[in-house]
Amino acid sequence: MSHAGVDWKLILKAFLAFLVAPWTFVYLLFPAIVPADAPHFWQITTGALLVGAAYFLTPAGAAYFAARHATQRPIAHALLAVAVCLVAYLSFFDESLFAVVVWPVMGMLGVLPVVRKMRRSA
């Protein structure tokens, strides 16, 4: 499933592995580890850690995965993976315009190890 050199199956895998899976995990894990009668500080701290990790690792992980497994145009695949994840994220959290700035930056940070490896091997 490739069009103009873009492996859309790879983009879909990155989307499922780095947006759907982690956010589903956070949604299910948070109520399981934080009881409703837990202290407010514990709820906020645990929520901030889980959501923060998912928020920042989603674009970095998707970009790294897409660039690492792309047979051609790794940076384009990384950008597409981050863009697809960002559009899906914004469809659920439409007030999160901060993600429009942060996610592309985190995506490019996720691509750095792949680019460095490509330069070393060239």
Side-chain angles (χ1 to χ4, degrees):
M1 192 162 99
S2 176
H3 185 302
V6 176
D7 185 359
W8 290 103
K9 279 186 179 179
L10 179 63
I11 303 299
L12 179 63
K13 287 178 188 176
F15 170 75
L16 292 174
F18 292 96
L19 184 80
V20 175
W23 286 95
T24 302
F25 182 72
V26 166
Y27 179 74
L28 296 175
L29 183 66
F30 183 73
I33 63 173
V34 180
D37 59 347
H40 192 64
F41 175 77
W42 174 249
Q43 291 176 349
I44 290 175
T45 304
T46 306
L49 287 172
L50 286 173
V51 171
Y55 185 83
F56 289 109
L57 293 178
T58 292
Y64 175 79
F65 178 82
R68 174 89 170 89
H69 296 291
T71 56
Q72 54 183 327
R73 299 182 184 178
I75 295 174
H77 280 84
L79 287 173
L80 279 171
V82 171
V84 168
C85 289
L86 181 61
V87 167
Y89 181 82
L90 290 175
S91 70
F92 286 101
F93 304 105
D94 46 323
E95 296 296 320
S96 183
L97 294 179
F98 184 65
V100 174
V101 175
V102 172
W103 281 33
V105 172
M106 290 303 297
M108 289 301 97
L109 289 175
V111 171
L112 280 178
V114 176
V115 171
R116 286 184 181 166
K117 184 179 178 184
M118 287 171 36
R119 285 186 181 168
R120 266 184 281 165
S121 65

